[in-house]
């Protein structure tokens, strides 16, 4: 039996702001339990829902040095879906109303978390063979593991993996402050280690010190070796390319299952979607105060409203798009300008456009189930889970060919009757509009073709089965 520890800042169902939480909360369930004991450690945020706080069991507490600071570390534990989850408690760091806030506080918060995640291991009696870190928040874990923790027998030989879910976020702050917070010597703050240009960079530390680096799709693993996607670390990504792999994400096929999903109005499968998706659409139209017409081409968007997701393209053609015979439903929160943009179009084209500016797991499922198409024209996309959820719910994705979108959506080929969605290449609003019109035309005028595409999408396998196997193989390669 080999022990694996996931260290991350989010994990469903406890705390989620994006796809990272979906991955951390579902992948461990899919490892072979006879070979791997995979556990997860996350912060115990005070904004976590009470129903989850209630389930936690207090394990222990102690004080830990974080440079000159002595900090309380509480440890809680729960078992969810057969996976052991540990949570680090400290109300000073994790007391906010959201997991992330100002980066200058977040740097200290996650330096504390990274060190605490290592410090608790002997106390709880769990010695991982591999520590699998996710994103910049855990970038110091591989560094600490090679630094102060390397001396103790307990930690010697523990391997680490750094998975990059989004290279845009790196945890950058000035060297002096980070050195003081992290308690690392000057040795670490040179440009071949944590320093990146003038600043300290936590993710860079993780990438340099981890034994292996992965990211969440094959295409993104290539893209980040180039300056545009590399976010100043493309040189490092090229340097580490013999220890870098892209493993595409899966989704939890139990949670995202139109046949059993308790959130959607009517359950369905690949045999019944023709009728039942329409019923879902009618009910959603009614609930959201839209024009009720189950024949309308309905496009869904469920997303963080940020530049990454291509919302400037949508803003640019929204008026033109609304002249078409479509309905658009948006669920998202994020940058104010995009929130207000959708509110504006909801007001201007009421009945046709619906802007739901909030976060709701339940509403997201209803939208995946009710819509005909799902729009995701990202500027860059490490993997993307929303398009996978759409495929599973028979909702045809319209995506830009980048990162994981390129790897998971096969473009429609009308001559060979192949493909699972629609895609375009250039980051250009009218190229996108052209593809949306092409999809709409297929929907209205070639219904049989459309339905066959829905069929193919629903049958495609984006469960964790294949990708969990790839992680297992990577673990074995590192250990044997
Ligand atoms: P990212 O992690 O970059 O935000 P992904 O596509 O990987 O993008 O994952 C996004 C996840 O967050 C999906 O599970 C999606 O359904 C969910 N999501 C995004 N915005 C909302 C929202 N406003 N309400 C509910 N779920 C949302
Ligand atoms: C990040 C990326 C997204 C990916 C998710 C999970 O949030 O933006 O593309 O699907 O992580 O890996």
């Amino acid at each position: 039996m080999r022990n694996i520890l996931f260290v991350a800042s989010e994990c469903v169902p406890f705390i989620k702001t994006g796809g990272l939480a979906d991955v951390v909360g579902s992948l461990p369930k899919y490892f072979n339990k006879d070979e791997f004991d995979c556990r997860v450690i996350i912060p115990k945020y005070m904004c976590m829902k009470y129903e989850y706080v209630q389930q936690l069991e207090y394990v222990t507490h102690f004080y830990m040095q974080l440079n000159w600071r002595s900090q309380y570390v509480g440890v809680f534990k729960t078992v969810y879906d057969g996976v052991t989850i540990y949570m680090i408690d400290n109300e000073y760091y994790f007391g906010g109303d959201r997991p992330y806030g100002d980066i200058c506080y977040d740097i200290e918060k996650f330096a504390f978390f990274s060190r605490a995640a290592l410090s608790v291991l002997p106390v709880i009696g769990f010695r991982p063979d591999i520590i699998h870190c996710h994103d910049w928040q855990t970038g110091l874990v591989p560094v600490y593991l090679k630094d102060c923790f390397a001396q103790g027998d307990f930690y010697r030989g523990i391997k680490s993996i750094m998975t990059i879910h989004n290279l845009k976020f790196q945890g950058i702050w000035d060297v002096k402050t980070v050195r003081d917070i992290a308690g690392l010597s000057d040795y670490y703050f040179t440009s071949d280690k944590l320093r990146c240009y003038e600043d300290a960079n936590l993710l860079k530390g993780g990438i340099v010190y981890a034994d292996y680096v992965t990211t969440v799709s094959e295409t993104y693993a290539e893209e980040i070796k180039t300056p545009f996607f590399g976010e100043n670390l493309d040189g490092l990504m090229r340097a580490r390319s013999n220890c870098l792999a892209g493993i595409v994400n899966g989704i939890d096929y139990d949670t995202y299952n139109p046949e059993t999903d308790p959130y959607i109005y009517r359950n369905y499968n690949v045999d019944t979607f023709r009728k039942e998706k329409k019923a879902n659409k009618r009910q959603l139209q009614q609930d959201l105060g839209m024009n009720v017409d189950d024949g309308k081409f309905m496009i869904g968007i469920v997303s963080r409203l940020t530049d990454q997701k291509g919302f400037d393209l949508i803003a640019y053609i929204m008026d033109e798009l609304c002249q078409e015979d479509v309905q658009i439903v948006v669920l998202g929160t994020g940058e104010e300008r995009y929130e207000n943009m959708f509110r504006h179009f909801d007001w201007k084209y009421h009945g046709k456009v619906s802007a739901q500016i909030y976060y709701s797991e339940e509403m997201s499922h209803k939208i995946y189930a009710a819509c005909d198409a799902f729009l995701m024209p990202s500027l860059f996309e490490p993997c993307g889970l929303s398009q996978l959820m759409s495929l599973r719910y028979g909702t045809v994705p319209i995506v830009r060919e980048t990162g994981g979108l390129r790897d998971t959506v096969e473009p429609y080929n009308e001559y060979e009757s192949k493909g699972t969605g629609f895609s375009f290449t250039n980051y250009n609003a009218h190229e996108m509009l052209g593809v949306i019109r092409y999809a709409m035309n297929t929907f209205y005028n070639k219904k049989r073709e459309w339905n066959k595409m829905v069929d193919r999408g629903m049958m495609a396998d984006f469960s964790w089965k294949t990708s969990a196997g790839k992680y297992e193989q990577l673990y074995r390669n590192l250990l044997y």
Side-chain angles (χ1 to χ4, degrees):
M1 180 69 84
R2 295 300 190 159
N3 293 340
I4 313 290
L5 180 72
F6 272 34
V7 190
S9 57
E10 302 182 19
C11 173
V12 290
F14 307 101
I15 190 85
K16 166 169 167 179
T17 72
L20 169 65
D22 290 304
V23 173
V24 174
S26 56
L27 174 56
K29 289 200 285 184
Y30 294 92
F31 292 132
N32 175 5
K33 294 221 163 35
D34 296 330
E35 190 179 356
F36 297 102
D37 179 358
C38 180
R39 306 188 186 184
V40 179
I41 188 160
I42 59 170
K44 179 175 173 288
Y45 298 106
M46 272 168 74
C47 58
M48 185 168 55
K49 274 202 195 132
Y50 184 65
E51 63 173 296
Y52 300 119
V53 178
Q54 258 180 325
Q55 301 172 6
L56 301 180
E57 173 197 330
Y58 166 84
V59 179
T60 181
H61 76 270
F62 56 92
Y63 284 80
M64 177 188 81
Q65 286 301 124
L66 186 64
N67 201 8
W68 50 270
R69 303 162 178 85
S70 175
Q71 301 290 24
Y72 170 87
V73 180
V75 186
F76 285 76
K77 175 183 167 181
T78 185
V79 178
Y80 194 86
D81 263 0
V83 178
T84 302
I85 316 276
Y86 298 103
M87 294 194 195
I88 302 287
D89 181 33
N90 179 304
E91 296 192 353
Y92 168 70
Y93 287 121
F94 306 129
D97 58 358
R98 310 167 275 150
Y100 316 120
D102 218 329
I103 182 72
C104 63
Y105 298 115
D106 285 355
I107 294 271
E108 184 174 333
K109 182 193 296 184
F110 291 108
F112 164 79
F113 172 64
S114 297
R115 201 177 174 104
L118 289 170
S119 303
V120 301
L121 298 174
V123 185
I124 58 178
F126 183 71
R127 184 191 177 277
D129 296 288
I130 294 177
I131 302 186
H132 190 155
C133 309
H134 298 267
D135 272 355
W136 77 263
Q137 292 86 351
T138 60
L140 284 178
V141 171
V143 183
Y144 282 142
L145 202 52
K146 294 268 163 42
D147 183 55
C148 39
F149 288 89
Q151 284 124 34
D153 277 347
F154 182 87
Y155 297 95
R156 197 167 298 130
I158 296 181
K159 298 274 199 263
S160 62
I161 296 176
M162 187 81 230
T163 292
I164 303 166
H165 294 262
N166 194 337
L167 196 56
K168 180 96 185 165
F169 304 107
Q170 300 179 0
I172 297 174
W173 203 246
D174 73 86
V175 171
K176 197 162 156 279
T177 312
V178 173
R179 195 174 42 204
D180 174 62
I181 289 171
L184 289 165
S185 67
D186 281 342
Y187 169 83
Y188 288 95
F189 294 91
T190 54
S191 59
D192 57 338
K193 305 189 190 75
L194 266 73
R195 185 189 283 261
C196 188
Y197 297 91
E198 286 317 298
D199 290 314
N201 182 321
L202 301 198
L203 180 66
K204 185 176 178 195
I207 296 171
V208 169
Y209 281 94
D211 294 290
Y212 207 89
V213 181
T214 75
T215 184
V216 287
S217 69
E218 280 178 25
T219 294
Y220 194 61
E222 289 308 313
E223 286 172 338
I224 57 179
K225 294 177 200 160
T226 67
F228 179 79
F229 296 96
E231 304 285 349
N232 287 329
L233 293 182
D234 47 300
L236 174 62
M237 300 322 307
R238 289 195 296 277
R240 291 234 59 187
S241 58
N242 57 340
C243 297
L244 169 68
I247 300 179
V248 75
N249 288 332
I251 54 171
D252 193 329
Y253 265 31
D254 299 330
T255 313
Y256 295 95
N257 182 356
E259 247 183 317
T260 53
D261 191 333
Y263 289 146
I264 66 179
Y265 304 109
R266 295 274 281 269
N267 291 115
Y268 58 92
N269 58 29
V270 71
D271 297 319
T272 58
F273 74 84
R274 287 171 188 76
K275 185 157 156 266
E276 300 301 342
K277 271 186 78 72
K278 280 188 174 173
N280 278 297
K281 194 198 289 186
R282 279 196 306 275
Q283 194 59 50
L284 186 70
Q285 289 167 327
Q286 218 157 48
D287 285 4
L288 300 183
M290 303 176 79
N291 305 333
V292 178
D293 176 353
D294 64 23
K296 274 275 177 293
F297 183 57
M298 188 188 253
I299 303 175
I301 295 173
V302 177
S303 184
R304 291 184 292 118
L305 302 179
T306 69
D307 280 338
Q308 175 192 336
K309 304 291 176 177
F311 285 107
D312 46 351
L313 297 188
I314 297 176
Y316 198 73
I317 52 92
M318 196 65 182
D319 261 315
E320 264 180 275
L321 179 59
C322 288
Q323 308 311 313
E324 305 282 349
D325 198 12
V326 292
Q327 289 193 339
I328 300 160
V329 188
V330 182
L331 172 66
T333 60
E335 286 174 36
E336 222 173 288
R337 60 190 165 129
Y338 295 132
E339 294 189 346
N340 289 336
M341 185 256 294
F342 285 118
R343 287 191 183 107
H344 167 78
F345 285 108
D346 180 321
W347 165 80
K348 189 168 175 186
Y349 298 101
H350 203 70
K352 214 171 169 172
V353 176
S354 175
Q356 304 297 315
I357 308 301
Y358 50 82
Y359 186 92
S360 161
E361 209 64 48
E362 178 167 348
M363 183 51 74
S364 74
H365 288 230
K366 288 189 160 73
I367 293 175
Y368 291 125
C371 290
D372 300 296
F374 188 87
L375 183 59
M376 200 165 170
S378 305
L379 173 61
F380 68 93
E381 196 60 74
C383 178
L385 300 175
S386 296
Q387 83 280 13
L388 304 181
M389 293 161 187
S390 300
L391 287 167
R392 175 93 165 132
Y393 282 76
T395 301
V396 176
I398 303 175
V399 303
R400 183 163 166 267
E401 287 152 16
T402 183
L405 297 174
R406 181 163 169 258
D407 294 351
T408 56
V409 178
E410 188 195 339
Y412 174 49
N413 178 333
E414 63 182 40
Y415 307 103
E416 295 177 23
S417 197
K418 278 190 178 149
T420 53
F422 293 84
S423 64
F424 61 101
T425 312
N426 296 301
Y427 196 71
N428 176 301
H430 279 97
E431 197 171 319
M432 174 181 77
L433 184 60
V435 171
I436 297 175
R437 286 189 172 130
Y438 178 36
M440 189 166 50
N441 187 45
T442 313
F443 175 82
Y444 282 126
N445 302 321
K446 294 184 179 167
K447 211 25 145 309
R448 260 180 68 82
E449 278 298 301
W450 181 271
N451 284 336
K452 281 202 282 190
M453 184 149 40
V454 173
D455 258 347
R456 290 192 293 268
M458 290 183 80
M459 302 293 281
D461 184 4
F462 289 104
S463 67
W464 272 111
K465 215 166 60 213
T466 312
S467 295
K470 289 189 181 167
Y471 281 110
E472 289 180 343
Q473 196 49 47
L474 171 61
Y475 296 157
R476 285 181 208 115
N477 292 347
L478 281 180
L479 292 174
Y480 305 117

